[in-house]
Amino acid sequence: MNWLPVSASTFAPGVDFVLWLVTIISVISCILIGFLLVYFVIKYRRKSDNDQTPAITHDSFLETLWTVIPTILCIVIFIYGYVFYDQYTTTPKNAVEINVTAKQWLWTFDYSNGKKTLNELYVPIGQPIRLVMQSDDVLHSFFVPAFRVKQDLMGNRYTYINFTATKEGVFDIYCTEYCGTAHSNMLGKVHVLSKEKFASWEDGSAKKVQKASSNLPPAEVGRQLYSDKGCVACHSIDGADGVGPTWKGLFGKNRIFADGTSILADENYIKESILYPGEKIVEGYGPVMPSYKGLLEDSDITAIIEYIKSLK
Ligand code: HEC
Ligand SMILES: [Cu+2]
């Protein structure tokens, strides 16, 4: 049966095994108890007015049985749970570290070679990875269902996740700790690449290859970035007000700022708003937009601008 998410890490089979074990034990006990309950109700029902319940106080054999069997089952479940939990929390010696920072409402990933990505985590297949995680603001929780790993992120301490991916592909990252208005948009992707592809991603050649082969119009690329890079968390495209101003009709509009100055929204203004959001704060909004400096390439920003232009 495949009602579970794809299984794409070395932990996934163990977690699934414990889940199945607990589920099967529970289902069998439930059916057994339910059946006996109904059976006894019928068998020992009062058949006539002077039917008397015999005065049985206890039965040592039965009592031992129903204590010993569940205890053994609990110990078995505990042992499996402990073994897999121990594997999960022990960092392998050759693990590669990646720093993860969560903030309302995005994920950033810092790699040891100085690379930085937004909402998209890149890892090589078969390589033990250790995520060193922290939050810039409230509690968040990093969850990759396909890897069966989940861990809260806090502001005042580091927390960790270990995993080794076993399947190439793209898997979802969710925030599973309610963290404010746009919590449900705090999404990301893990890209599990072959060793060769990862090496070329690391030295930067992969991105160019990928870009050259995608001949989408820039506004279309911008539309994808809008959701992939998490702008969707704060900006609507249909005129609805959110944490930030809507993008609908933004281009060419007169913008009034908190300090009373104003400007017409052109390409340069939008680029500045993305790289240095604190410079000009639109009247009526808080200074909460994170800077995307170093997280978006110039071509990404151009694509976003084209997309904003298309939202009339
Ligand atoms: C955490 C919420 C948040 C996220 C995420 C966010 N923004 Fe913003 N953004 C704001 C807020 C609030 C403002 C208005 C205050 C200001 O000017 O800084 C704003 C303003 C802007 C403006 C100027 C808008 C105007 O009406 O003049 C642009 C352009 C913009 N953001 C682009 C982006 C892009 C592109 C992304 C994604 C890469 C993004 N924002 C992600 C909150 C956010
Ligand atoms: Cu969150």
Side-chain angles (χ1 to χ4, degrees):
M1 254 201 273
N2 57 356
W3 48 270
L4 291 176
V6 290
S7 147
S9 82
T10 49
F11 298 129
V15 173
D16 294 356
F17 174 80
V18 177
L19 177 72
W20 277 115
L21 183 73
V22 174
T23 308
I24 288 169
I25 292 176
S26 310
V27 168
I28 292 176
S29 326
C30 179
I31 292 173
L32 186 73
I33 292 170
F35 170 80
L36 288 178
L37 198 73
V38 173
Y39 175 73
F40 290 152
V41 162
I42 294 169
K43 178 157 196 234
Y44 297 109
R45 71 187 184 282
R46 178 181 272 212
K47 291 179 191 110
S48 65
D49 277 353
N50 45 13
D51 241 6
Q52 286 277 321
T53 307
I56 301 168
T57 55
H58 69 278
D59 182 318
S60 304
F61 174 71
L62 270 183
E63 281 169 24
T64 313
L65 204 66
W66 75 50
T67 309
V68 169
I69 292 179
T71 307
I72 291 175
L73 290 178
C74 286
I75 291 174
V76 170
I77 293 171
F78 172 80
I79 290 174
Y80 276 116
Y82 180 81
V83 168
F84 295 131
Y85 183 73
D86 190 55
Q87 276 177 21
Y88 170 54
T89 49
T90 310
T91 308
K93 286 217 170 51
N94 58 343
V96 166
E97 287 194 348
I98 299 172
N99 286 293
V100 181
T101 308
K103 68 174 157 206
Q104 286 166 321
W105 291 278
L106 50 89
W107 305 99
T108 54
F109 302 101
D110 290 272
Y111 304 81
S112 53
N113 66 353
K115 255 186 149 44
K116 203 175 166 82
T117 57
L118 175 65
N119 288 343
E120 282 172 87
L121 172 61
Y122 289 83
V123 297
I125 192 169
Q127 164 68 50
I129 304 285
R130 170 176 159 97
L131 301 181
V132 180
M133 312 195 295
Q134 62 183 320
S135 167
D136 254 8
D137 39 48
V138 299
L139 279 184
H140 299 277
S141 188
F142 185 91
F143 181 33
V144 181
F147 295 168
R148 314 286 191 272
V149 295
K150 180 163 91 171
Q151 172 63 52
D152 280 10
L153 288 81
M154 280 161 254
N156 57 351
R157 57 184 290 190
Y158 293 99
T159 52
Y160 312 94
I161 278 184
N162 295 307
F163 67 82
T164 306
T166 54
K167 265 203 184 81
E168 281 178 47
V170 183
F171 306 102
D172 292 316
I173 300 171
Y174 296 92
C175 177
T176 49
E177 183 68 61
Y178 180 63
C179 59
T181 321
H183 162 68
S184 59
N185 281 316
M186 192 166 163
L187 305 169
K189 296 261 186 264
V190 192
H191 298 254
V192 180
L193 307 178
S194 66
K195 297 247 147 105
E196 304 75 55
K197 279 201 191 128
F198 184 77
S200 64
W201 173 79
E202 260 191 321
D203 66 31
S205 50
K207 201 135 198 191
K208 281 171 213 124
V209 175
Q210 196 192 330
K211 282 243 166 84
S213 65
S214 87
N215 33 28
L216 288 172
E220 185 58 24
V221 176
R223 194 182 61 79
Q224 284 174 9
L225 291 167
Y226 166 69
S227 55
D228 290 351
K229 301 301 176 189
C231 318
V232 58
C234 301
H235 296 283
S236 82
I237 51 168
D238 60 0
D241 207 17
V243 175
T246 183
W247 284 359
K248 190 179 180 190
L250 166 61
F251 196 83
K253 201 168 163 189
N254 192 35
R255 310 307 292 147
I256 300 168
F257 304 111
D259 61 7
T261 59
S262 71
I263 206 172
L264 277 187
D266 62 2
E267 287 88 348
N268 284 316
Y269 165 69
I270 293 178
K271 185 163 187 177
E272 184 195 31
S273 299
I274 298 171
L275 298 179
Y276 309 100
E279 289 291 309
K280 299 190 175 70
I281 304 295
V282 181
E283 192 179 32
Y285 296 91
V288 294
M289 175 163 159
S291 165
Y292 287 88
K293 201 169 160 33
L295 294 170
L296 292 174
E297 291 180 21
D298 284 347
S299 60
D300 293 341
I301 293 177
T302 308
I304 291 172
I305 294 172
E306 288 306 312
Y307 178 54
I308 292 179
K309 283 184 190 168
S310 75
L311 300 167
K312 299 241 166 55

